[in-house]
Amino acid sequence: MRLEPVTEDNYRAVIGLEVHEEQRAFVATNLKSIADAWIHRPKLQPLALFGGEELVGFTLLERDRPGVLHIVRFMIDRRAQGRGLGRKGLAAIADVARSEGRTELVLSVVPGNAVARGLYAAFGFTDTGEVDGGELVMRHVLAPSTRAPAHLAEQ
Ligand SMILES: CC(C)(COP(=O)(O)OP(=O)(O)OC[C@H]1O[C@@H](n2cnc3c(N)ncnc32)[C@H](O)[C@@H]1OP(=O)(O)O)[C@@H](O)C(=O)NCCC(=O)NCCS
């Protein structure tokens, strides 16, 4: 899974990604998220999620507190869901956080979003007990990467 900037070349396709109808209450449209990112640039960073060559999802990241990466939006296109890409997307975001020396991921989720809550809990997120705008705030403290640095992995 690769995270790529939203650019002139891919933004129409990113806007064309969609969740299932019954999931629409769980996440803003990507069009709204790109607008949010424009208004709040450079604090908000919109990123396209690629599985190989295929555009499969979108995330909006915020760096508002030292040490913390805030996942403001996260979605996998309805046609690509259920293939483990949500989990891989979270892993790629965690790698970004680690590469910046951050130790914590934070997000919030609509209480009725059982699939997302299950995914986040399985990934290692726990409830903080805080509620933000009716959404449950979850956090994940990152263990240092166990992957060998690239220059060692090649040997
Ligand atoms: C939440 C979301 C990102 C998960 O993406 P995904 O690519 O389907 O996730 P994965 O394939 O990695 O599956 C994660 C887990 O959810 C389960 N799952 C996925 N879709 C499911 C469904 N429709 N019903 C029940 N379980 C489901 C998978 O079985 C998996 O559990 P497992 O690891 O125990 O097998 C995706 O459903 C989505 O975009 N939802 C709409 C937007 C949203 O809610 N975003 C989160 C806002 S906080």
Side-chain angles (χ1 to χ4, degrees):
M1 177 75 67
R2 283 180 296 122
L3 303 182
E4 297 278 339
V6 174
T7 64
E8 190 177 351
D9 291 334
N10 65 27
Y11 81 98
R12 290 179 191 82
V14 169
I15 289 168
L17 298 176
E18 55 189 13
V19 297
H20 290 289
E21 198 174 339
E22 63 274 17
Q23 296 174 327
R24 284 189 196 150
F26 298 149
V27 69
T29 64
N30 293 344
L31 179 60
K32 164 80 163 48
S33 291
I34 291 170
D36 289 341
W38 172 257
I39 294 296
H40 297 286
R41 65 190 185 280
K43 193 174 68 163
L44 292 182
Q45 181 187 28
L47 292 168
L49 308 184
F50 281 87
E53 290 306 302
E54 188 189 2
L55 173 67
V56 295
F58 172 81
T59 190
L60 184 67
L61 302 179
E62 181 170 14
R63 292 160 178 89
D64 50 357
R65 278 188 284 151
V68 178
L69 188 61
H70 181 179
I71 306 173
V72 180
R73 309 269 157 69
F74 182 63
M75 62 83 71
I76 299 292
D77 183 76
R78 62 186 175 82
R79 289 155 289 224
Q81 290 183 18
R83 291 197 234 147
L85 295 168
R87 194 188 155 74
K88 285 184 182 162
L90 289 178
I93 293 168
D95 282 346
V96 168
R98 282 194 199 91
S99 73
E100 295 173 356
R102 295 175 195 273
T103 54
E104 194 177 323
L105 298 177
V106 170
L107 54 77
S108 66
V109 59
V110 173
N113 192 353
V115 169
R117 288 177 72 183
L119 168 63
Y120 297 145
F123 194 81
F125 281 85
T126 53
D127 287 314
T128 61
E130 292 164 57
V131 179
D132 182 11
E135 298 194 355
L136 310 175
V137 179
M138 301 182 82
R139 73 194 283 256
H140 176 47
V141 177
L142 295 168
S145 177
T146 52
R147 286 191 203 167
H151 68 283
L152 293 178
E154 280 167 17
Q155 290 173 8

